[in-house]
Amino acid sequence: MARTDRLMRLMDVMRRLPAPVTAGRLAEETGVSLRQLYRDIATLRAGGALIDGEAGLGYTLTEDPALPPQSFSRLEIEGLRLAVDALSGVGDSELVDAAENALSRIIATLPERQAQQALHAISHSFSPGPDRKPPQVDIATIRRACWEEMVLEIDYTDLKDDCTTRQIWPLGMSYSQRTLMLLAYCRMRMDYRVFHVNRMAALRLTGDSFRPRRAALVRDYASARSRQHAAEKSPSPDRTDTGCDSWPPVAPDR
């Protein structure tokens, strides 16, 4: 786990658990050793976090009173609740759990009246998405490759059931009730492609980075999307229908 993520998780645990929290409980909740936990507590304190207590007594996180409490309108609370509920129909389990945890953290910082509104929201999404073939690969690795701009090597079966191994530069993911898609620049096709994640048999981080090229790729892709959008608004007699999905404006890899 990255250092920043580990520290954020520690802060979250200290907000949620009844104070004071023992070092052993914090270490268990965050998945680190006691030695690492003590270092993380020191790091948070050095960064300005108000943490009372010490080893053997337990720790208490004291929020800075200078910071105003979070506040949302009733409609904003309804929107957040509905968005998190709806995610269960399209997202993978790790993403759904992360959204639920984020909403819980938001609710924990709200004034009591607004926290009660969030717990008793009137908007809910109860309709599960249709059954989808579950991915065979680790979604967290794909997200990491997108975030850190790392080259992926994938074993992929296209829509014609042809199997290939190729290197791609992953740019973004698209969630829907039908499928999970990955937009990437394919080094084999030398063009943008949309891959069905559930058709990936395996994937590997190569250790290479495409960071110097990512900004240009995203810019070129955005331009291509704008051109296609304009063409769809003003169809010409020479334009032919490719039958491609509307997101993104490139063909699924076949």
Side-chain angles (χ1 to χ4, degrees), residues 11 19-20 67 81 119 121 228 250 252:
M11 290 284 285
L67 295 176
R81 178 73 269 174
L119 293 174
Q228 179 166 347
V250 291

Side-chain angles (χ1 to χ4, degrees), residues 90-210:
V90 297
D92 59 275
S93 59
E94 185 179 36
L95 186 62
V96 172
D97 289 344
E100 289 285 357
N101 289 338
L103 184 59
S104 297
R105 290 166 60 186
I106 291 173
I107 293 174
T109 64
L110 293 175
E112 183 176 356
R113 179 179 62 85
Q114 292 187 331
Q116 289 299 316
Q117 291 175 352
L119 293 174
H120 300 287
I122 62 172
S123 302
H124 293 277
S125 176
F126 294 107
S127 301
D131 291 338
R132 295 187 300 177
K133 182 180 178 182
Q136 305 175 62
V137 296
D138 183 24
I139 305 299
T141 300
I142 297 179
R143 272 196 285 267
R144 179 188 172 193
C146 291
W147 289 337
E148 300 182 15
E149 299 155 1
M150 302 173 69
V151 179
L152 276 177
E153 185 175 79
I154 62 172
D155 297 336
Y156 188 72
T157 302
D158 64 19
L159 298 180
K160 296 179 180 178
D161 290 330
D162 293 331
C163 301
T164 56
T165 297
R166 61 183 79 187
Q167 289 194 354
I168 61 173
W169 298 346
L171 300 174
M173 301 172 69
S174 172
Y175 290 86
S176 75
Q177 291 187 335
R178 292 184 300 167
T179 187
L180 173 59
M181 309 286 280
L182 174 65
L183 171 66
Y185 188 85
C186 177
R187 296 293 293 162
M188 185 175 81
R189 304 295 188 193
M190 299 301 291
D191 200 357
Y192 298 99
R193 285 293 184 271
V194 179
F195 296 95
H196 295 258
V197 174
N198 61 13
R199 286 182 166 269
M200 295 179 185
L203 59 82
R204 297 164 290 278
L205 292 170
T206 66
D208 297 327
S209 172
F210 64 96

Side-chain angles (χ1 to χ4, degrees), residues 37-57:
L37 176 77
Y38 295 142
R39 287 199 294 262
D40 289 345
I41 292 288
T43 299
L44 290 175
R45 283 172 166 167
L50 304 179
I51 301 176
D52 297 328
E54 58 186 67
L57 299 178

